[in-house]
Amino acid sequence: MMRTRPLKVALLGCGVVGSEVARIMTTHADDLAARIGAPVELAGVAVRRPSKVREGIDPALVTTDATALVKRGDIDVVVEVIGGIEPARTLITTAFEHGASVVSANKALLAQDGAALHAVAEEHDKDLYYEAAVAGAIPLIRPLRESLAGDKVNRVLGIVNGTTNFILDKMDSTGAGYQEALDEATALGYAEADPTADVEGFDAAAKAAILAGIAFHTRVRLDDVYREGMTEVTAADFASAKEMGCTIKLLAICERAEDGASVTARVHPAMIPLSHPLASVRGAYNAVFVESDASGQLMFYGPGAGGSPTASAVLGDLVAVCRNRLSGATGPGESAYAALPVSPMGDVVTRYHISLDVADKPGVLAQVATVFAEHGVSIDTVRQQGKDGEASLVVVTHRASDAALGGTVEALRKLDTVRGVASIMRVEGE
């Protein structure tokens, strides 16, 4: 039997995502009520500019006093889509203290203060759901913390930022340089006027922190994630990748050490074989590859951003939280029982592609190979091309630690025959 008294929802933020949440709540009201077991009512919308016309939203619901809205006491669920650290953190905490559960899309806040927010939610016996914080409409967080709760996840490897994937895909498919591809992404609306958060990997790093924490039952904060942007990737790097049968993607990589005693989380450009499923992810799409003991390899794919896809994830959480509200229960909270240490980037082991500018004369290859050997880095393949006294030397290593590779490169720079290190890129997905 359906309950007649509606569950009241407060919406914090009414931009691209918030306006879509409000629209879907209105146009799909009957379906949502049938799925939840009670109607849901938009009880208030907190915004910064109340004079702006918002189609489909009763102006009487609009307020600039978000604090008063979440303190009302009759609000069942607060949907937070304003982003940033403050005032979002204080508003979410206040919502819990005044009896509301929370659905959030705030990746930056969750990556920085997720543990503290979960603690407040648990203290007040309320839900904190945030499927929309990572990879837009792609169901990812719920499968990790619910569907795979009985499994052991070993690795999460993914493309979690649509802007960077669009840019790199353009560079790969058209031969465009970085700036040219960025300009196109901006013109099409895929990149912000200031794309720093995307192209320097901050957005992906926040998502990696969230994914690693859930996958490995360990608290992983944004500061624990190694981050390297993609602004230095060149057309020459793509040419080298193609010669290896690879392409280049900005990847978020979260993995458990082979001995199971620690975890790592990192974001950086990497070459991946064309045979890997992530290599075929084009345009502004996202995809995440999960490897676990029992399930093996799973891939989640779809639109990773935008108003409608993100709102879809928000509404999915809203339905789940409302159902919990009706049954008097709460869903999964933070799971950090494993408390594994997060290893520094220097301990990460992977393959490397190194391009060197060297003198084109006898003995250079021997000198370079000696340096690699002295630092314990094994060489897989070497390719040398040169003329008129100058040459390009491309070395692909076997697996080595980041620290060992760093020492190798430092020593190479000291050789008289090495003019410079043109590029260094990790090789993943094998």
Side-chain angles (χ1 to χ4, degrees):
M1 179 181 293
M2 182 178 294
R3 193 181 80 165
T4 57
R5 185 178 74 80
L7 292 160
K8 294 188 176 183
V9 178
L11 179 60
L12 307 183
C14 198
V16 174
V17 176
S19 60
E20 274 296 292
V21 170
R23 183 189 67 79
I24 295 172
M25 284 185 63
T26 302
T27 59
H28 295 180
D30 291 342
D31 286 338
L32 290 173
R35 294 165 191 170
I36 292 168
V40 287
E41 173 189 313
L42 188 59
V45 182
V47 300
R48 287 184 296 176
R49 297 185 295 275
S51 60
K52 180 180 178 181
V53 177
R54 294 172 172 85
E55 186 177 349
I57 297 177
D58 184 350
L61 297 177
V62 176
T63 178
T64 58
D65 194 344
T67 301
L69 179 59
V70 299
K71 281 184 173 181
R72 273 178 37 172
D74 66 336
I75 299 297
D76 293 288
V77 184
V78 169
V79 174
E80 183 272 309
V81 288
I82 56 178
I85 305 302
E86 288 291 357
R89 174 170 50 196
T90 299
L91 290 170
I92 289 174
T93 300
T94 303
F96 291 139
E97 293 169 347
H98 286 78
S101 290
V102 173
V103 173
S104 176
N106 196 331
K107 54 186 170 288
L109 177 58
L110 290 159
Q112 178 173 305
D113 292 317
L117 293 177
H118 272 294
V120 180
E122 183 177 358
E123 178 186 352
H124 295 279
D125 197 25
K126 296 296 177 287
D127 277 324
L128 174 60
Y129 276 46
Y130 42 90
E131 183 68 66
V134 180
I138 304 172
L140 184 58
I141 289 177
R142 192 170 293 126
L144 281 174
R145 73 177 185 176
E146 296 182 32
S147 303
L148 296 176
D151 206 343
K152 178 184 177 183
V153 176
N154 296 309
R155 196 171 196 231
V156 180
L157 173 75
I159 299 164
V160 295
N161 183 278
T163 300
T164 55
N165 198 58
F166 178 88
I167 292 170
L168 292 172
D169 183 37
K170 280 295 175 183
M171 293 177 70
D172 183 32
S173 61
T174 69
Y178 166 75
Q179 189 60 51
E180 183 183 351
L182 172 60
D183 290 344
E184 183 174 352
T186 304
L188 292 171
Y190 291 126
E192 301 287 346
D194 180 1
T196 303
D198 294 322
V199 300
E200 293 293 352
F202 291 101
D203 175 84
K207 295 170 182 176
I210 295 169
L211 292 174
I214 296 170
F216 307 132
H217 305 280
T218 291
R219 286 179 179 169
V220 179
R221 300 181 75 249
L222 182 58
D223 291 345
D224 296 321
V225 181
Y226 172 83
R227 177 193 56 78
E228 184 181 319
M230 46 153 286
T231 58
E232 301 301 319
V233 177
T234 66
D237 291 326
F238 274 100
S240 294
K242 287 181 178 179
E243 290 179 358
M244 291 178 58
C246 293
T247 188
I248 298 172
K249 299 291 186 182
L250 184 75
L251 298 178
I253 305 169
C254 314
E255 55 191 352
R256 191 188 301 267
E258 290 185 5
D259 62 4
S262 64
V263 298
T264 58
R266 50 197 166 102
V267 169
H268 54 71
M271 295 181 179
I272 59 171
L274 294 176
S275 58
H276 194 282
L278 291 179
S280 61
V281 178
R282 312 301 297 271
Y285 276 73
N286 284 190
V288 177
F289 205 70
V290 177
E291 301 175 9
S292 66
D293 275 1
S295 300
Q297 297 178 331
L298 306 170
M299 183 167 164
F300 302 84
Y301 170 85
S308 294
T310 306
S312 172
V314 169
L315 267 295
D317 278 350
L318 179 63
V319 169
V321 170
C322 286
R323 286 172 175 169
N324 292 342
R325 192 85 171 181
L326 288 178
S327 66
T330 55
E334 183 190 30
S335 176
Y337 73 89
L340 297 171
V342 182
S343 296
M345 187 62 187
D347 293 347
V348 171
V349 175
T350 189
R351 296 179 66 205
Y352 292 86
H353 175 281
I354 305 102
S355 180
L356 304 172
D357 295 326
V358 300
D360 186 17
K361 61 182 184 181
V364 173
L365 180 56
Q367 286 184 329
V368 169
T370 297
V371 169
F372 276 87
E374 288 174 348
H375 289 81
V377 179
S378 176
I379 294 175
D380 182 18
T381 62
V382 178
R383 185 176 70 256
Q384 183 174 0
Q385 294 178 328
K387 63 179 180 179
D388 301 328
E390 298 296 330
S392 173
L393 187 66
V394 175
V395 178
V396 179
T397 74
H398 288 291
R399 290 172 60 81
S401 72
D402 191 79
L405 197 282
T408 303
V409 171
E410 185 177 348
L412 288 171
R413 294 184 193 276
K414 296 177 181 179
L415 293 178
D416 292 338
T417 52
V418 175
R419 310 293 193 225
V421 180
S423 70
I424 303 171
M425 191 166 295
R426 297 169 184 87
V427 182
E428 300 284 349
E430 293 184 297

